[in-house]
Structures are given as structure tokens and as C-alpha cells.
Amino acid sequence: SGFDTDAIEHCLTALNLYSEIESLEGQSRLLNSIGTINLNLGEFERSIRYFNQAYYLAEENNNPTLLASSLRNLGHYYLEIKNFDRALECFNNSLDLVQNKPDIEKLGYLYLDIGITHTSIREIESALENLQKALLYADSSLNLELRARVYSELGNLYSSTEMYDIAIVFLKQSLFVAQKINTDPILQQCYKNLANFYDKQNDIENALKYYKLYTAHKDTLFSNQSAMQI
């Protein structure tokens, strides 16, 4: 989108400035940001190139915090291209670095990432173990976006194992938190999750209700993004 293109241009301008003043830390952070934008755009070859550059600079700067961030971003890249073994390797290596300097939010997101990866390859027991760890950190954190995402993933996992009574509790919790923070992508995902849940239950009325909310929200999000490009 035009918004993402503008963001990349701003990052590249700032990257040149950090390069001129020889700030390895600043360059690494921006390379990670550019890589993430490209990953969200589906530009996988570009994203991995930026993530690798960010990792090498963090390594050269001997900065464990930046190394952990770079490894997590590399994990997201491998998760997107469905190289699940490499994704887990990156997430776990990042986790090792973060545990040396505990940060509730970072630990929560990493256990969430690991849980999502195990879910993707249907390793249900490992997925549940890591998502429950993510839940502990999410509930201890003030980060509502993290809570909404963890509740969502747990709801989907329990639904996939036909533990519907537990699944609906987490899916409704996820929606409640998402509505509080009014974050578009998370709200959209919550409506989609609930539509799929009720469809499995053959509850056509509620499935249709949440599917309409999902599509309406998706259309609104698209319209807002289009308006930002004008």
C-alpha cells in the first residue's frame, strides 16, 4: 500500500542518517522495521535480506536485545514461508537471549510465537504448553494487544480439539479485550474466529452475525487504508 511505501521511504532516509553517524544499533532497528513492513507486504525475499542485515549488525554491536529482536523477526519470516523447524529454532534462540534479561511482554510474545508455530504443525500438546505460558505473561502485562492475541490463539486451539466450552470463553475474552483497545486487525480476526466457531457448531444465526461483522470491518479497514493513500 501507499502507506507502507511511505513508511519504508522514511525508514530508508533515517537508515542513511544512522549509517553516516555509524550507529549500528540505530541501523539494526531500522533494518528490522523495513524487513517487517516488507514481510507484511508479502515481499519475502526483501524481508529476509533486511532481517539478515539487522542480525549481522546486532551481532557486530554485541547487543543481545537487538539480537533477540532480529531472531524473532527471522522466526516470523520462516513461519510465513512454512519452514517451521527454522522458525522454532529462531524463536527459541530469541527466547534464550530474552530470559537472561526478563521482560514480561517480550516473553509473552515469544511463547505466543512458539505456540502458534506448534499449532501450525498440529503439535497440540507443545502448542498448549507454550500458549499457557504466554497467557501467564499476558495476564501479568498491561499490554492488552498481547492478551487479545493469546486469548484468540487459545480459543482457536481448543476449538480445533473440539473442546468447545473452553474455546468460546477464550474467543469471547479476546473479542472483549479487542473491543476495549479498538485495534482493527485484531477485531477483524476476532469476528472471523467467532464466525468459524459458530459455523462448526452449526449455529447459523451467530455464524452469519459474526461473518457480517468480519466483512464489514474488513471493508472499513480497506477503505481507511485506501483513504490514507489519497
Side-chain angles (χ1 to χ4, degrees):
S1 72
F3 177 76
D4 289 321
T5 302
D6 288 344
I8 290 175
E9 288 179 0
H10 288 308
C11 286
L12 288 171
T13 300
L15 183 62
N16 288 332
L17 292 173
Y18 279 122
S19 181
E20 287 177 11
I21 63 174
E22 299 182 352
S23 170
L24 297 180
E25 181 175 342
Q27 289 177 72
S28 182
R29 291 186 189 282
L30 281 166
L31 287 165
N32 271 320
S33 296
I34 298 168
T36 297
I37 295 169
N38 276 289
L39 186 63
N40 291 337
L41 290 171
E43 297 285 350
F44 299 124
E45 289 187 11
R46 289 183 183 176
S47 68
I48 188 62
R49 187 166 69 245
Y50 285 114
F51 288 149
N52 278 329
Q53 289 179 45
Y55 177 83
Y56 294 135
L57 284 175
E59 195 172 42
E60 187 178 341
N61 197 37
N62 194 26
N63 188 319
T65 300
L66 287 179
L67 275 172
S69 295
S70 296
L71 284 164
R72 183 173 178 234
N73 286 329
L74 284 166
H76 290 155
Y77 164 79
Y78 287 117
L79 185 57
E80 281 292 324
I81 66 167
K82 303 187 186 308
N83 187 335
F84 301 115
D85 287 341
R86 288 297 301 276
L88 284 172
E89 180 184 351
C90 290
F91 290 141
N92 281 308
N93 286 340
S94 180
L95 184 63
D96 288 341
L97 290 167
V98 171
Q99 284 177 330
N100 292 330
K101 191 178 180 182
D103 180 306
I104 287 175
E105 286 187 16
K106 288 179 181 177
L107 287 167
Y109 277 113
L110 278 165
Y111 280 118
L112 173 62
D113 290 334
I114 294 168
I116 290 171
T117 309
H118 282 296
T119 299
S120 299
I121 49 181
R122 302 300 297 163
E123 292 179 346
I124 302 302
E125 193 172 322
S126 294
L128 184 58
E129 178 185 349
N130 283 282
L131 289 175
Q132 285 176 334
K133 288 179 181 178
L135 180 63
L136 288 173
Y137 288 111
D139 285 341
S140 301
S141 167
L142 297 176
N143 188 326
L144 296 182
E145 191 258 1
L146 173 60
R147 286 190 201 177
R149 288 192 59 201
V150 172
Y151 295 157
S152 176
E153 289 299 328
L154 278 166
N156 286 336
L157 182 64
Y158 281 117
S159 181
S160 73
T161 57
E162 300 182 358
M163 299 177 70
Y164 296 120
D165 289 344
I166 302 175
I168 191 59
V169 172
F170 280 112
L171 291 174
K172 287 287 186 72
Q173 281 183 314
S174 179
L175 177 60
F176 175 74
V177 175
Q179 287 173 330
K180 282 181 69 174
I181 58 179
N182 198 28
T183 302
D184 288 332
I186 300 175
L187 266 174
Q188 185 180 322
Q189 188 62 49
C190 287
Y191 293 137
K192 184 179 180 181
N193 291 342
L194 284 162
N196 290 337
F197 173 84
Y198 285 115
D199 183 55
K200 284 183 179 179
Q201 299 289 299
N202 293 316
D203 184 339
I204 305 303
E205 183 179 349
N206 274 313
L208 187 58
K209 169 189 170 182
Y210 284 107
Y211 182 74
K212 285 180 177 178
L213 285 167
Y214 163 68
T215 53
H217 206 79
K218 187 178 180 183
D219 290 343
T220 302
L221 184 58
F222 177 77
S223 297
N224 290 341
Q225 288 175 337
S226 297
M228 293 177 73
Q229 297 175 37
I230 297 173

